[in-house]
Amino acid sequence: MSTVNYAVIGGGINGLSVARQLLIDYPGANVTLFEKESEVAQHQTSHNSGVVHAGLYYAKGSLKARLCRRGVELVRNYCTDNNLPYDQCGKVVVALNEVEEARLKKLYQIALDNEVPNVKMLYGEEIKTVEPNCIGVAALHSPETAIVSYEKIAKRIAEEIIERGGKIELNSPVQSIKNNSDGKITITLQSGKVYPTQFDYAVSCAGLQSDRLAKNSGDVETPKIVPFFGQYFVLDDQFTHDVKGLIYPVPDPKYPFLGVHFTKRIDGKMTIGPNAFLSKARENYDGKGFNFKDIKEFIFYPGFWRFAFRNIPAAMRESKTVFSQKNFINEATKYVPSLSNMTVKPATRGIRAQAMNPDGTLVDDFVIRRDGNITHIRNAPSPGATSSLAIAEYIVREVMQGKADV
């Protein structure tokens, strides 16, 4: 029997997890992972908050809800098995008024529907038993929400891929993945070179470039990726201990993004952020310069303008935190007034690969499509990193086997 050849495109945590899962389930297979950078985990995987989300926000029955809960278990076990840091620091989602409290109670029901363990409503002074310096009328406490370094997890997975006999092709940006008439798959690199191996199956986990690679490979053009940056600030050390874990606002359904919050990092530092604003480039982590091609793509996308006109109030709100560090800090200190005089330093930005429909709506759930023997991850925002090992299981054991409705 001939050996089956698998290609995985993308060396972020999702692509690495898929390659690992293939080698676990098919130890005799040839698995080749293509990564355009000189190292793995150079994009969204190493530019995020590091939160292991418990599943508080995701509609019952959605892929996000299912894969997030499974992902938490897998990430926790992976960190334990590989001696990687895992800090179950806990999280409170805080309501500042009665309107937010009503929304918070709905969030509590979603958490119960998703069987998030040990969640509890806190009221008034009860909040201080978890976060002594936090104020609010009510809070949802998720004690098992945790923080990790997804970059360290990803790099350990890369080592495991090699240990299991897989191959990682660095400095190898892929231009297209094509189904051939003979059932094989051809990988063409951006250099124009056709990779010499013909593959039986391929999985595209291209993150910020997922829509472009899908289009080049013959898949549907939409949803299209529109990049939004999120700025973080790190609190100076003398202010770090006023917050013990994670403090989040209650999501406002009028706004598409969550809002500024406190997040403890696995290195012990405390951050505030992120805001959310349109990025001038898909990979613009330092905030400098712009990419004309990236800007042109969303400016000429009708869905973007439909989104923009519907979200002018959100854009105005977020712009205040983009152009004023004081306003950014003020958003956070609504929840912890003792930090009103804190000083902070900018941290590296994150870029959210936000998939957007032609009607201007943001794609909420994970989108995983199969086109012949090629599978494309078209949308995997938060909790994409939390869910990464579960997404890999789902793709390898359900999508690629034709058991999932995609």
Side-chain angles (χ1 to χ4, degrees):
M1 186 174 179
S2 60
T3 301
V4 180
N5 294 312
Y6 294 91
V8 179
I9 292 80
I13 197 165
N14 280 306
L16 291 162
S17 297
V18 169
R20 170 183 176 268
Q21 193 65 52
L22 286 166
L23 288 162
I24 290 171
D25 287 7
Y26 307 108
N30 287 331
V31 176
T32 304
L33 183 142
F34 295 86
E35 166 53 40
K36 69 176 183 174
E37 307 294 354
S38 59
E39 294 183 71
V40 299
Q42 294 303 294
H43 292 281
Q44 292 178 96
T45 299
S46 56
H47 295 85
N48 61 59
S49 63
V51 176
V52 183
H53 292 280
L56 304 181
Y57 305 106
Y58 319 120
K60 183 179 181 180
S62 66
L63 269 182
K64 277 187 177 182
R66 171 190 162 189
L67 298 181
C68 178
R69 287 301 314 141
R70 173 63 175 157
V72 171
E73 176 186 356
L74 294 173
V75 167
R76 182 174 58 239
N77 291 345
Y78 195 81
C79 288
T80 299
D81 293 344
N82 290 276
N83 197 30
L84 295 168
Y86 186 95
D87 182 354
Q88 195 168 286
C89 60
K91 167 180 173 176
V92 287
V93 182
V94 180
L96 297 177
N97 52 54
E98 291 182 355
V99 173
E100 291 185 353
E101 182 181 349
R103 295 203 299 264
L104 189 65
K105 289 178 178 176
K106 293 179 181 177
L107 205 63
Y108 178 47
Q109 186 57 54
I110 291 172
L112 294 177
D113 289 343
N114 290 337
E115 300 181 1
V116 178
N118 301 317
V119 289
K120 182 182 179 181
M121 288 292 295
L122 306 173
Y123 294 94
E125 291 300 305
E126 289 181 316
I127 298 171
K128 295 186 182 297
T129 64
V130 178
E131 287 287 356
N133 296 302
C134 182
I135 64 168
V137 299
L140 174 57
H141 182 212
S142 171
E144 296 195 18
T145 296
I147 51 173
V148 296
S149 167
Y150 287 112
E151 182 177 9
K152 288 183 178 179
I153 294 171
K155 289 184 175 180
R156 174 63 195 120
I157 294 173
E159 292 173 351
E160 186 182 348
I161 289 168
I162 301 302
E163 290 165 4
R164 291 179 178 273
K167 183 190 297 184
I168 297 178
E169 295 279 10
L170 299 172
N171 300 304
S172 299
V174 172
Q175 177 68 22
S176 67
I177 322 160
K178 292 293 180 70
N179 286 300
N180 300 327
S181 57
D182 62 359
K184 296 293 185 179
I185 293 169
T186 298
I187 302 286
T188 303
L189 303 178
Q190 286 184 7
S191 63
K193 175 185 175 183
V194 175
Y195 195 76
T197 301
Q198 294 282 290
F199 294 93
D200 299 288
Y201 299 91
V203 183
S204 170
C205 311
L208 286 155
Q209 309 296 336
S210 59
D211 57 335
R212 290 172 175 166
L213 182 54
K215 179 183 176 183
N216 291 345
S217 304
D219 195 34
V220 295
E221 291 191 27
T222 57
K224 180 171 283 295
I225 297 298
V226 177
F228 290 83
F229 74 79
Q231 180 67 57
Y232 289 89
F233 287 89
V234 180
L235 279 63
D236 287 340
D237 287 346
Q238 64 265 37
F239 303 103
T240 295
H241 301 293
D242 277 34
V243 178
K244 298 173 76 174
L246 313 178
I247 300 176
Y248 277 54
V250 180
D252 187 336
K254 292 186 298 183
Y255 297 117
F257 301 111
L258 189 56
V260 173
H261 47 271
F262 288 91
T263 305
K264 182 182 178 183
R265 284 195 330 203
I266 199 66
D267 62 2
K269 300 286 188 180
M270 184 64 64
T271 67
I272 56 172
N275 51 12
F277 207 72
L278 196 63
S279 179
K280 295 179 290 185
R282 293 194 183 198
E283 299 173 4
N284 186 20
Y285 301 112
D286 60 6
K288 300 175 183 177
F290 64 93
N291 183 297
F292 180 73
K293 177 182 177 182
D294 293 349
I295 295 172
K296 180 181 176 182
E297 279 198 10
F298 66 72
I299 282 180
F300 286 95
Y301 182 49
F304 166 72
W305 291 106
R306 295 184 179 107
F307 167 84
F309 287 130
R310 280 202 296 266
N311 289 280
I312 291 174
M316 295 297 292
R317 183 188 75 165
E318 294 297 321
S319 67
K320 292 177 182 178
T321 65
V322 172
F323 299 112
S324 167
Q325 183 174 302
K326 181 179 179 181
N327 285 332
F328 196 110
I329 291 172
N330 288 344
E331 284 294 310
T333 54
K334 290 176 183 177
Y335 303 91
V336 186
S338 65
L339 288 173
S340 59
N341 294 319
M342 66 179 169
T343 54
V344 299
K345 297 182 180 67
T348 305
R349 290 180 173 191
I351 306 290
R352 180 186 179 101
Q354 179 59 60
M356 188 178 291
N357 291 314
D359 65 1
T361 57
L362 302 184
V363 181
D364 184 55
D365 207 357
F366 297 147
V367 177
I368 299 170
R369 287 179 43 83
R370 183 174 173 182
D371 175 26
N373 286 334
I374 302 171
T375 300
H376 295 275
I377 298 181
R378 297 295 300 263
N379 191 50
S382 181
T386 300
S387 308
S388 55
L389 295 171
I391 288 172
E393 281 188 343
Y394 173 70
I395 288 174
V396 173
R397 297 179 180 177
E398 297 185 45
V399 175
M400 295 178 74
Q401 303 299 320
K403 298 177 181 178
D405 184 18
V406 296

